[in-house]
Amino acid sequence: VASGGRTFLQQPCGAPLLVISYSLLYFTVLSPHGVVLTAYLQMKDMGEARLSLFRAAGALSGVLGMGAYRYGSKLIGVRRTALIHVALLAACVAGAAACFGAAGIGDPQYKDPGGAMVAFLLLLIISRFGLYGFDVALLQLEQMNVDERHRGLVGAVESSLCSLGTMSVFAATMATSANRAAAFGWLVYASVGFVFAGAVCFATWCMCWHAHLHSHGSTPVPGVPHQTHAHTLQQERKLEGGDESRTHTHLHFHPPFGDMW
């Protein structure tokens, strides 16, 4: 386990930060298909027909988000498309939480099916557009940048962290269940915090990892910076086929913070 953990943390191209940014999005109750939110809405006397429509709309929004990623990645690239999607996700869950708090939806006596509740649900539906698009974009970034020798390890760590997020949601729900509906507000605001943390992690990765022309050879190249850093297996293959200057362009850690866009 210790050896696997070191291998994961030492991955080039910022793979650990990508994994963490995605895993943090699982620490949330603000999911249209989540059982916790479904149970809460049932406590608010939302009928089965409306619940089914809400869940279906969330799924449809996610499908549209994946389609938007397909076109966006061709127009502005995977990185920028992913950043837009995760920013939309964070903005929507923040707006939903604001509706939840400002309109008193968390009040045990709140039963109003219109107005603020509709806005709350609509924002959660739109958030699926951002989440599913970001999901596909992040998978593409991992495929491009995770070392081929360690993709199974990185995938296992990501799966474990996502499962931890799901388990934590259930554990937190059980721990706060004594206060019934009133405690759901705590979970809503905590969910917003985790989603924003995931978005910040991805934005940090965008600022710190860039693809620049640089050299690894012993012979200096005028106008090209010489750098020493770890490479993935696929990057090493490209270097082997290059010239003696070992000049190439690939994603690498490039401090200080650069342009995330």
Side-chain angles (χ1 to χ4, degrees), residues 109-134:
Q109 306 304 318
Y110 183 91
K111 300 292 182 181
D112 181 15
M117 178 63 84
V118 171
F120 173 72
L121 299 179
L122 183 60
L123 285 167
L124 293 185
I125 290 171
I126 298 173
S127 75
R128 298 299 92 181
F129 184 98
L131 175 63
Y132 281 55
F134 180 68

Side-chain angles (χ1 to χ4, degrees), residues 42-223:
Q42 286 179 325
M43 293 176 61
K44 291 296 183 181
D45 295 334
M46 180 174 285
E48 293 181 358
R50 284 185 293 173
L51 271 174
S52 299
L53 181 61
F54 170 60
R55 291 166 67 95
L60 178 60
S61 177
V63 172
L64 294 175
M66 289 189 289
Y69 159 75
R70 178 181 178 183
Y71 292 102
S73 61
K74 295 178 180 178
L75 292 174
I76 59 176
V78 177
R79 179 195 197 96
R80 294 177 177 179
T81 305
L83 192 59
I84 291 173
H85 275 280
V86 77
L88 175 63
L89 169 62
C92 286
V93 296
C99 291
F100 186 91
I105 297 176
D107 190 311
Q109 306 304 318
Y110 183 91
K111 300 292 182 181
D112 181 15
M117 178 63 84
V118 171
F120 173 72
L121 299 179
L122 183 60
L123 285 167
L124 293 185
I125 290 171
I126 298 173
S127 75
R128 298 299 92 181
F129 184 98
L131 175 63
Y132 281 55
F134 180 68
D135 188 337
V136 180
L138 196 79
L139 179 61
Q140 181 67 30
L141 288 171
E142 290 176 346
Q143 287 291 321
M144 293 189 300
N145 299 309
V146 173
D147 195 311
E148 292 178 0
R149 295 166 292 194
H150 305 132
R151 282 177 178 169
L153 172 65
V154 173
V157 172
E158 182 176 86
S159 179
S160 298
L161 292 176
C162 291
S163 296
L164 176 62
T166 302
M167 183 184 70
S168 298
V169 167
F170 293 148
T173 302
M174 293 174 62
T176 59
S177 60
N179 290 320
R180 296 179 64 78
F184 187 72
W186 306 342
L187 302 180
V188 168
Y189 302 131
S191 296
V192 175
F194 278 107
V195 170
F196 262 84
V200 168
C201 282
F202 184 74
T204 301
W205 178 84
C206 289
M207 289 188 292
C208 294
W209 274 267
H210 298 272
H212 293 135
L213 180 66
H214 57 281
S215 171
H216 296 289
S218 57
T219 303
V221 180

